[in-house]
Amino acid sequence: MTGSGYGEDRREVVDRYFAPVPGERERQRVWGFLLGGAALLLVGVALSMTDSWPVGIPLVIGGGAAVVRGFPLFEAYRDAREAALPKPRDAIIDKIRDHELAKVRLRALDRLDLTTEDLELEPADWDPLAQPLREEAPREPLVVTGPVPTSGAVVGRDGVWRFSQYAVLVICPTDYHLGLYRCVIDLRVAGLFQEETHEYHYADVVAVSTAIREGTRVTAQIADADDGDHRFERTLLHEFQLVVSSGDRSAIVVGISDGRHPDHQARLAGTGIDPVVRAVRGMLRDKKAPVRQISSR
């Protein structure tokens, strides 16, 4: 998105933010080859000019090979640092993410063949007292978003975990049914992937809950830190789930924690989960017989 206020190409901005910074171990390896090889080479040359030449020649060969090996390692190390630093500001990544989420809302209505006039739900944060002149509240879909844990992750300078990919669930309540749109957004390519749409009668919704399941290890870099990353020993994924009578469920990760250290939790950008839970619970209460209450386990 050149010319959109990011200062450089959008993909380059996102790639730089999530690119790993080579740390002290890589630096030591590079200089080990270069300096160690140079030292062996000098000693070998010196010995080769004396009666100890049988010892010096292997040192010359070994030292020269180490130096030759060290140059491409140095270039790779330098290129990796240039690709990862300086890190873009956290706010820029947030702006890109918010831009994509705004597009998803419109895409959901289009794919479900709905308009905002078809929606029955008022925004959770609309205050009629603060907007007394409006005839009615603006209508918009409900949106839950959460990270794709297997994508690139960075702990920003503000302590918030940011991911290169996010799953998005858009819930569109109408008078007669619940429309769902799900996709994955990739901040690098500004694309929507794995699109799904579902439509259910309110009577078909049997549970709205939060659940916890074990996930694969999640590791996040720490912004601007060499050899700095954060990883959980046992990754637990907290999911928002909407389950229907057929057994199908739409799920979004809304939290990540460490099963061995319960106080260790990833701080995520706003998922929108709390207002959505309240709104869906109220909608189901109004539209059908009592449904199993929002629960967590």
Side-chain angles (χ1 to χ4, degrees):
M1 299 179 66
T2 303
S4 299
Y6 302 126
E8 52 188 320
D9 182 77
R10 172 215 183 97
R11 176 172 291 191
E12 183 178 345
V13 169
V14 178
D15 282 347
R16 183 182 298 275
Y17 188 82
F18 290 101
V21 180
E24 183 62 21
R25 182 177 300 177
E26 287 86 349
R27 190 185 70 83
Q28 290 179 354
R29 183 165 180 255
V30 169
W31 290 113
F33 274 99
L34 289 177
L35 297 181
L40 287 177
L41 188 59
L42 291 174
V43 172
V45 169
L47 292 176
S48 297
M49 300 175 66
T50 68
D51 292 339
S52 300
W53 63 266
V55 177
I57 290 178
L59 293 179
V60 170
I61 295 173
V67 171
V68 169
R69 172 63 175 152
F71 276 115
L73 289 177
F74 173 77
E75 291 176 354
Y77 173 81
R78 179 197 60 200
D79 292 345
R81 288 189 67 86
E82 290 179 353
L85 297 173
K87 293 291 185 189
R89 291 181 295 110
D90 298 329
I92 293 178
I93 301 303
D94 293 341
K95 182 178 180 181
I96 293 174
R97 174 178 175 270
D98 292 344
H99 179 75
E100 293 307 308
L101 289 177
K103 293 196 304 185
V104 169
R105 290 184 178 90
L106 298 176
R107 175 69 170 173
L109 292 171
D110 180 64
R111 288 295 305 273
L112 291 167
D113 196 23
L114 297 173
T115 70
T116 55
E117 295 301 315
D118 296 315
L119 302 180
E120 278 231 332
L121 199 62
E122 297 176 354
D125 59 355
W126 180 72
D127 182 358
L129 297 179
Q131 298 175 298
L133 299 180
R134 296 188 66 101
E135 295 183 359
E136 61 179 13
R139 298 178 181 182
E140 58 184 21
L142 300 168
V143 179
V144 181
T145 183
V148 175
T150 54
S151 67
V154 169
V155 181
R157 300 169 184 87
D158 56 1
V160 174
W161 290 48
R162 292 172 175 84
F163 293 77
S164 59
Q165 294 182 337
Y166 287 89
V168 187
L169 178 64
V170 182
I171 304 174
C172 298
T174 73
D175 180 56
Y176 57 91
H177 83 317
L178 204 62
L180 302 181
Y181 170 84
R182 191 183 190 282
C183 72
V184 171
I185 58 176
D186 189 319
L187 302 188
R188 292 181 63 248
V189 298
L192 305 180
F193 304 93
Q194 301 176 31
E195 291 184 283
E196 303 174 9
T197 58
H198 303 278
E199 298 181 76
Y200 302 112
H201 293 294
Y202 288 106
D204 294 330
V205 181
V206 298
V208 180
S209 65
T210 56
I212 299 176
R213 67 177 177 87
E214 191 157 354
T216 57
R217 172 173 286 188
V218 176
T219 300
Q221 309 165 54
I222 299 176
D224 295 340
D226 289 0
D227 275 350
D229 59 35
H230 188 111
R231 63 187 65 194
F232 293 138
E233 294 182 33
R234 178 174 171 240
T235 301
L236 297 180
L237 303 178
H238 303 246
E239 291 184 331
F240 165 79
Q241 298 182 350
L242 191 149
V243 186
V244 295
S245 55
S246 65
D248 292 341
R249 67 188 60 215
S250 297
I252 294 287
V253 173
V254 293
I256 304 174
S257 63
D258 190 336
R260 292 195 173 90
H261 304 279
D263 56 326
H264 292 177
Q265 298 189 16
R267 285 181 55 198
L268 303 180
T271 62
I273 180 62
D274 292 335
V276 167
V277 164
R278 291 194 299 269
V280 173
R281 179 169 55 187
M283 178 62 68
L284 293 175
R285 184 186 299 119
D286 293 342
K287 293 293 184 180
K288 58 174 287 185
V291 66
R292 192 192 319 169
Q293 292 299 305
I294 302 293
S295 63
S296 59
R297 55 183 175 86

